[in-house]
Amino acid sequence: MKRAAIVCHRGASLKAPENTLAALEAAIADGVEVVELDVRPSRDGVLYVHHDETVDRTTNGTGRLGDMLSSEIDQLDAGSWFSKDFAGERVPRFSSFLDACKGRIAVYAEIKEGDPAEVRDMLQTRDMLEAAWTFSFDQAIRAETRARVPDLRLMVLFDHVGSVERAVAQGAAILEFQAHNLDVDLAESAREAGLITQLFYDGDDRSVFELAIRCGIEQMNIDHVDVFRSVEDSLLAPAQ
């Protein structure tokens, strides 16, 4: 069995505040292949790496990020909520985040809000498009991605499409499973159809990781990287 590529969910979010440059650097230090991030625009159209609709949970500010000017967002403290060691960490602009990724780690950009063509162009200008991919929970954004930027690889959720055939019909490159629908036969069918298989799992249950490995999942979108690697090492270690 081949080792899975690790997609670090919101960066190394157990070691540093999520979706920050500190979390990115921690993910790179861990040697993972891909960083997952979330994209939203400010009121004046600047794309930021930020998960929630509001800034309340992960910064010292309040309100919708989309209602704030970039000059306001740039002043927010996005680190103190996690630890005083990260006081002063900023909400990164997408452009700065990509600059820090270039030549070091691939990018999976989940578009919470924003123009997929702009995301695509920002990747392209940095020669990062080929290894990148995107997804959105917003059906309109997924449709716009397929229609306007077909060269930006698209991921779909099995929960959304319900079958391998529908994933292929929607032009997906990657099919993401979750623990409740992870299945050996489905994963094999997806690979046979030319799809890359991925699992999103933010827990640390070793049995879920074991099943993913036995299913041959190619990419793991996870928080608990060390636990997964431990399980993988134990299952893939050569017999003595």
Side-chain angles (χ1 to χ4, degrees), residues 17-20 49-52 54-65 68 72-82 89-92:
E18 65 179 60
N19 276 330
T20 63
V49 177
H50 186 74
H51 180 272
D52 295 4
T54 72
V55 301
D56 298 48
R57 180 175 64 87
T58 58
T59 80
N60 62 335
T62 59
R64 292 184 70 256
L65 184 140
M68 303 175 72
E72 298 172 304
I73 298 169
D74 288 342
Q75 299 304 311
L76 295 175
D77 180 340
S80 294
W81 70 274
F82 186 87
E89 191 72 25
R90 300 305 179 195
V91 180

Side-chain angles (χ1 to χ4, degrees), residues 87-103:
E89 191 72 25
R90 300 305 179 195
V91 180
R93 294 188 177 204
F94 185 48
S95 57
S96 300
F97 201 98
L98 291 184
D99 288 341
C101 291
K102 180 176 169 58

Side-chain angles (χ1 to χ4, degrees), residues 28-57:
I28 292 171
D30 281 345
V32 307
E33 290 82 0
V34 185
V35 61
E36 185 268 351
L37 58 95
D38 304 283
V39 178
R40 291 182 180 276
S42 65
R43 193 172 85 196
D44 50 337
V46 176
L47 291 180
Y48 281 87
V49 177
H50 186 74
H51 180 272
D52 295 4
E53 183 176 3
T54 72
V55 301
D56 298 48
R57 180 175 64 87

Side-chain angles (χ1 to χ4, degrees), residues 9 29 39 50-51 64 68 71 107 112 134 138 141 166 171 194 209 223 231 238:
H9 181 231
V39 178
H50 186 74
H51 180 272
R64 292 184 70 256
M68 303 175 72
S71 57
V107 168
K112 295 293 188 183
T134 191
D138 187 317
I141 292 176
R166 288 192 65 192
F209 290 145
D223 293 333
V231 174

Side-chain angles (χ1 to χ4, degrees), residues 158-183:
F158 189 81
D159 272 349
H160 287 171
V161 296
S163 72
V164 170
E165 292 76 18
R166 288 192 65 192
V168 172
Q170 291 190 15
I174 300 164
L175 180 59
E176 186 174 80
F177 297 94
Q178 296 183 17
H180 66 269
N181 55 33
L182 187 58
D183 178 86

Side-chain angles (χ1 to χ4, degrees), residues 201 203-213 226-235:
Y201 178 57
D204 62 355
D205 187 331
R206 294 176 70 91
S207 67
V208 174
F209 290 145
E210 288 173 3
L211 177 58
I213 294 165
D226 293 344
V227 177
F228 174 76
R229 282 178 167 157
S230 171
V231 174
E232 190 177 51
D233 287 344
S234 66
L235 287 181

Side-chain angles (χ1 to χ4, degrees), residues 2-15 23-24 26-37 104-108 131 133 153 155 174 176 196-203 209 212-213 217-233 236:
K2 185 179 178 182
R3 292 187 180 274
I6 303 294
V7 181
C8 225
H9 181 231
R10 305 183 199 172
S13 57
L14 300 182
K15 298 181 178 180
L24 168 64
I28 292 171
D30 281 345
V32 307
E33 290 82 0
V34 185
V35 61
E36 185 268 351
L37 58 95
R104 306 171 74 201
I105 193 169
V107 168
Y108 158 29
W133 71 90
R153 292 192 298 164
M155 189 194 82
I174 300 164
E176 186 174 80
I196 297 169
T197 55
Q198 181 167 300
L199 176 70
F200 168 70
Y201 178 57
D202 58 1
F209 290 145
I213 294 165
I217 296 297
E218 296 156 285
Q219 298 180 167
M220 298 291 295
N221 182 15
I222 55 178
D223 293 333
H224 297 271
V225 175
D226 293 344
V227 177
F228 174 76
R229 282 178 167 157
S230 171
V231 174
E232 190 177 51
D233 287 344
L236 301 185

